[in-house]
Amino acid sequence: SQQGEEDPQALSIQEGENATMNCSYKTSINNLQWYRQNSGRGLVHLILIRSNEREKHSGRLRVTLDTSKKSSSLLITASRAADTASYFCATETSNDYKLSFGAGTTVTVRA
Amino acid sequence: NAGVTQTPKFRVLKTGQSMTLLCAQDMNHEYMYWYRQDPGMGLRLIHYSVGEGTTAKGEVPDGYNVSRLKKQNFLLGLESAAPSQTSVYFCASSYFSDLNTEAFFGQGTRLTVV
């Protein structure tokens, strides 16, 4: 089974609204990363949070990490049509440096 | 700056044929990864490498082999292709873990096995 699991699987919101998605993982990590994938394209890195950090911001993105619950959340504020994409969390595990991905959340932003 | 380049971009194979996918990166990254992406499954790690001459198994290694003879290249081989290996394959690379940096992805190889 995969290391990371995103929730929800799909999300549809109106332009201007906020989008929140969650990620849970199973084993000890060095860091957790979020990526975006537009349809048919490669993945693009959005933000990385280290295991000793609790919150991080980058533009309209806010990421939190709770290592005690083995979970993270990604918040996209004031969403735009261009934010329509699939979002994946990835964890780098502590013991073997694997970078493992979850199944992703598909976000649709309606104009 | 090319980043991560995958060759080929598309390929159709017959069952039982073999092929090699090439991943090349020009960023002097130590770590390289091969993933497959299937609908609804996200990315699953096939094999990865933490440096030249090293390889390790990921979540779904069966039916694939890899080699990292040069630091900049990571090859993924299918010895006897099966329809279950129809997928989109992504290669990625990153610096050492201690630097906590992100992975850079290629644009993918769409493989169909008939």
Side-chain angles (χ1 to χ4, degrees), chain A residues 2-3 6 8 10-11 14 21 24 29 38-39 42 44 47 51 59 61-62 64 69-70 87 90-91 96 100 106 108:
Chain A
Q2 293 183 255
Q3 157 79 331
E6 285 96 337
L11 185 59
Q14 202 72 30
M21 59 210 86
S24 59
I29 61 172
N38 291 97
S39 181
V44 174
I47 194 166
S51 58
L61 305 179
R62 173 179 170 259
T64 62
K69 295 181 180 179
K70 292 187 170 59
Y87 293 81
T91 53
D96 56 13
S100 300
T106 300
T108 303

Side-chain angles (χ1 to χ4, degrees), chain A residues 1-3 30-31 33 35 37 40-43 45 48 50 88 92 96-104, chain B residues 31 33 35 37 40-45 48 50 57-59 90 97 99-103 105-107 110:
Chain A
S1 61
Q2 293 183 255
Q3 157 79 331
N30 291 328
N31 62 66
Q33 305 172 34
Y35 289 80
Q37 183 181 37
R41 308 294 297 274
L43 277 74
H45 180 262
L48 179 152
R50 296 179 175 83
F88 296 89
E92 184 184 272
D96 56 13
Y97 304 107
K98 284 181 188 176
L99 185 63
S100 300
F101 285 77
Chain B
Y31 290 11
Y33 309 87
Y35 297 90
Q37 185 175 30
M41 298 292 293
L43 276 77
R44 291 184 291 170
L45 182 63
Y48 66 108
V50 299
K57 293 180 180 179
E59 304 163 53
F90 287 99
S97 168
L99 295 179
N100 275 299
T101 60
E102 72 269 25
F105 279 79
Q107 287 303 300
R110 187 172 295 275

Side-chain angles (χ1 to χ4, degrees), chain A residues 33-83:
Chain A
Q33 305 172 34
W34 286 90
Y35 289 80
R36 184 185 72 222
Q37 183 181 37
N38 291 97
S39 181
R41 308 294 297 274
L43 277 74
V44 174
H45 180 262
L46 295 175
I47 194 166
L48 179 152
I49 187 165
R50 296 179 175 83
S51 58
N52 60 353
E53 297 176 316
R54 292 296 167 257
E55 187 171 315
K56 203 161 183 181
H57 297 257
S58 177
R60 294 184 296 112
L61 305 179
R62 173 179 170 259
V63 170
T64 62
L65 178 65
D66 186 336
T67 54
S68 66
K69 295 181 180 179
K70 292 187 170 59
S71 67
S72 172
S73 67
L74 171 67
L75 168 67
I76 305 172
T77 60
S79 62
R80 306 166 181 169
D83 294 329

